[in-house]
Amino acid sequence: EVYKRIEIENSTTANIYNSLGLVTEEPERQIEYFMKALEIYSKIRVENSNTVNVYSNLVLHSNTPEKKKFCRKALELYNELEVKSEVVAKLYKHLGDLEDSPELKHESYKKAVGLYQLLDTENEHVADIHYLLCTQKEPEHYTA
């Protein structure tokens, strides 16, 4: 409220909007807060790990109709920043779920599995992706 009243828009206010998006229960408000954070980052020409967190939050924590676009943008920024993490693997899995083309689905799922393997992570997410790959191409190479 104070930042709004004194009309300051900087990375701190963008971070506040991102945090509000994470804690609000209302789906419409959640998207509104995340979008406001992106709007501020755009105005102040900032594209960094904070920005990519907002894109990730839009994909992982909201039901925005533009989920595929935001997922691609988050992955693009994570790749530029050379980030290898479970969040990135989850985004590849989400992108696979959102893709229409079986080839693009398969490619995204393979990237997710490859990243989980690189991180030496085995959990239910990895098993789910292996299962999805089993039901598509090359079932002999994947075991859930």
Side-chain angles (χ1 to χ4, degrees):
E1 291 300 316
V2 173
Y3 281 112
K4 261 171 119 172
R5 197 170 44 249
I6 58 177
E7 297 182 12
I8 290 181
E9 287 188 338
N10 58 25
S11 30
T12 302
T13 53
N15 289 339
I16 291 168
Y17 279 109
N18 184 43
S19 296
L20 285 168
L22 288 171
V23 297
T24 190
E25 301 283 325
E26 303 167 50
E28 295 83 23
R29 286 289 275 172
Q30 189 176 46
I31 293 170
E32 184 181 311
Y33 287 137
F34 290 142
M35 294 305 289
K36 182 64 177 175
L38 287 177
E39 178 187 319
I40 293 169
Y41 282 129
S42 176
K43 278 184 192 173
I44 61 174
R45 299 178 192 266
V46 169
E47 202 166 73
N48 59 20
S49 59
N50 292 330
T51 316
V52 78
N53 286 338
V54 179
Y55 283 114
S56 298
N57 290 337
L58 274 162
V59 175
L60 300 174
H61 303 290
S62 80
N63 286 322
T64 176
E66 297 179 276
K67 207 174 246 202
K68 190 185 333 185
K69 177 179 99 176
F70 293 134
C71 192
R72 283 193 176 122
K73 183 65 177 177
L75 287 167
E76 174 190 320
L77 291 172
Y78 275 127
N79 286 329
E80 283 177 20
L81 296 168
E82 297 181 12
V83 174
K84 310 257 185 277
S85 70
E86 277 197 51
V87 170
V88 178
K90 285 179 186 177
L91 287 171
Y92 275 119
K93 196 274 186 195
H94 276 284
L95 184 59
D97 293 345
L98 297 167
E99 291 290 6
D100 298 320
S101 152
E103 289 79 22
L104 291 175
K105 275 184 182 301
H106 185 73
E107 184 181 313
S108 292
Y109 292 149
K110 279 180 79 166
K111 286 181 180 177
V113 166
L115 193 47
Y116 277 124
Q117 287 172 340
L118 179 73
L119 298 168
D120 199 24
T121 303
E122 287 196 11
N123 59 28
E124 70 277 5
H125 301 296
V126 181
D128 290 345
I129 299 167
H130 274 285
Y131 172 76
L132 291 167
L133 285 165
C134 283
T135 62
Q136 294 182 346
K137 299 186 201 174
E138 307 171 30
E140 66 279 2
H141 292 112
Y142 300 98
T143 55

